[in-house]
């Protein structure tokens, strides 16, 4: 019953390697044209499409399904891959379109939906995964403040650098939401197989907390696009942190967001070369965060 909201291009909630871990709104009756739970959204069964303003958050790109699968592709089902959290509930909040672009204002509405479902409808939304970069806005800052008040963790990708594909120092050149300073945030860059920082990964000792694997990550694609794919980016690193947070909540249901941050950031494997580029100077260690190693 740990819900992770994936704020992205949507999710293929019918994917055979994901469907069992898709959140279903217990207060909503599907397809009856009635807002059964009186939350302002009609037939929001698995989430919402804030780009097209409808109840169907199906992924028409491929980004969001991959992100969702890293978090929660079904484990031990004799199919494809497994997410880091083998049993979890993925809430699909679509705001990016079929070109993987969108409006910050729609992302804000998605964040506010997740906060509202936790605060007013007893849905156990504990983590928001935000694998995108956009514009700064007062509304975005306010939505993060509200999610902080609701004790929801906000995981943000650090972003994939400049037009040349080189990571930039966010301490000097901010991108959003990564460069906001909300208390409930963890900002994640990407690493490769040798624990090196990915060439494309944004960094910044004041802004980016840690790295997690983000090069050549094999995972889900929408079934209409072949069911599986390999992608690279800080977008793939952030969901590894989101899933680690979900596992922490699963083991310790009363853990606070501040405690999740302490557990994740205090357990990294430190890497000398990264001490000047990341606040923790290290790479995610999920087992250590769970105190299992
Ligand atoms: Ca509703
Ligand atoms: Ca309904």
């Amino acid at each position: 019953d740990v819900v992770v909201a994936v704020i992205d291009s949507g999710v293929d909630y019918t994917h055979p390697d994901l469907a069992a871990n898709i959140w279903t709104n217990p207060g909503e009756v599907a397809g009856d044209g009635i807002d059964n739970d009186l939350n302002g959204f009609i037939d929001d069964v698995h989430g919402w499409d804030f780009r097209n303003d409808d109840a169907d958050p199906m992924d028409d790109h491929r980004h969001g399904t991959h992100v969702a699968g890293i978090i929660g592709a079904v484990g031990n089902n004799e199919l494809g891959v497994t997410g880091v959290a083998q049993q979890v509930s993925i809430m699909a909040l679509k705001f990016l379109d079929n070109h993987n672009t969108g409006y910050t204002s729609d992302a804000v509405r998605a964040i506010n939906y997740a906060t509202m479902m936790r605060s007013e409808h007893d849905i156990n939304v504990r983590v928001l995964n935000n694998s995108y970069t956009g514009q700064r806005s007062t509304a975005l800052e306010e939505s993060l403040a509200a999610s902080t008040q609701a004790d929801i963790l906000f995981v943000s990708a650090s972003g994939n650098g400049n037009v040349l594909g080189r990571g930039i120092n966010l301490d000097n050149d901010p991108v959003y939401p990564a460069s906001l300073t909300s208390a409930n945030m963890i900002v994640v860059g990407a690493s490769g197989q040798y624990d090196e920082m990915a060439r494309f990964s944004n960094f910044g000792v004041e802004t980016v907390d840690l790295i997690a694997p983000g090069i050549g990550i094999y995972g889900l694609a929408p079934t209409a696009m072949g069911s599986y794919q390999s992608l690279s980016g800080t977008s793939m690193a952030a969901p590894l942190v989101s899933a680690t947070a979900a596992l922490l909540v699963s083991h310790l249901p009363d853990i606070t967001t501040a405690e999740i941050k302490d557990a994740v950031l205090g357990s990294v494997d430190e890497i000398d070369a990264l001490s000047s580029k990341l606040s923790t100077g290290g790479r995610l260690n999920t087992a250590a965060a769970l105190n299992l190693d």
Side-chain angles (χ1 to χ4, degrees):
D1 66 349
V2 180
V3 181
V4 179
V6 173
I7 301 173
D8 212 291
S9 64
V11 176
D12 180 1
Y13 47 80
T14 69
H15 196 297
D17 218 354
L18 192 60
N21 282 343
I22 296 294
W23 173 73
T24 296
N25 184 350
E28 194 64 37
V29 176
D32 66 354
I34 297 170
D35 179 15
N36 308 88
D37 62 355
L38 301 175
N39 68 349
F41 296 85
I42 296 169
D43 294 340
D44 52 325
V45 175
H46 300 304
W48 193 259
D49 178 349
F50 294 91
R51 172 69 191 199
N52 300 298
D53 290 316
D54 63 46
D56 186 3
M58 177 56 71
D59 184 7
D60 56 3
H61 183 259
R62 52 175 62 240
H63 188 271
T65 298
H66 196 262
V67 167
I70 291 168
I71 296 167
V74 178
N76 292 329
N77 63 346
E78 302 185 345
L79 276 180
V81 299
T82 178
V84 170
Q86 299 194 0
Q87 294 183 349
V88 68
S89 287
I90 302 288
M91 175 188 281
L93 301 181
K94 176 177 171 65
F95 87 100
L96 298 168
D97 64 13
N98 60 337
H99 301 291
N100 210 39
T101 62
Y103 297 101
T104 299
S105 55
D106 287 339
V108 167
R109 293 199 294 149
I111 295 163
N112 290 344
Y113 175 92
T115 301
M116 173 267 293
M117 292 304 278
R118 175 163 174 76
S119 300
E120 301 172 23
H121 293 270
D122 293 327
I123 304 301
N124 193 30
V125 187
R126 294 300 310 270
V127 184
L128 311 182
N129 189 85
N130 300 271
S131 288
Y132 57 88
T133 56
Q135 304 299 313
R136 183 172 199 163
S137 80
T138 301
L140 180 63
E141 293 179 47
E142 290 172 351
S143 71
L144 263 75
S147 67
T148 303
Q149 284 295 315
D151 201 27
I152 297 174
L153 179 70
F154 189 97
V155 178
S156 174
S158 69
N160 298 335
N162 59 20
V163 292
L164 300 175
R166 295 295 294 268
I168 60 173
N169 187 342
L170 299 186
D171 296 350
N172 303 326
D173 297 299
V175 300
Y176 297 93
S179 293
L180 295 176
T181 54
S182 187
N184 63 335
M185 290 181 73
I186 297 178
V187 182
V188 190
S191 62
Q193 62 177 310
Y194 303 108
D195 281 344
E196 80 284 13
M197 186 178 300
R199 177 183 157 94
F200 57 75
S201 177
N202 293 341
F203 56 92
V205 70
E206 302 287 339
T207 311
V208 182
D209 292 307
L210 76 170
I211 51 174
I215 298 179
I217 305 300
Y218 185 69
L220 304 188
T223 49
M225 302 175 193
S227 297
Y228 296 93
Q229 62 182 335
S230 186
L231 292 177
S232 297
T234 59
S235 287
M236 284 66 245
L240 292 168
V241 172
S242 293
T244 300
L247 289 175
L248 276 162
V249 176
S250 173
H251 283 263
L252 302 166
D254 295 327
I255 193 171
T256 66
T257 295
E259 290 168 340
I260 295 170
K261 281 187 66 174
D262 286 346
V264 171
L265 302 184
S267 61
V268 298
D269 286 342
E270 293 184 23
I271 297 160
D272 287 346
L274 300 178
S275 61
S276 64
K277 296 194 168 184
L278 303 167
S279 72
T280 67
R283 188 252 305 124
L284 174 70
N285 184 331
T286 297
L290 293 162
N291 204 19
L292 298 176
D293 66 343

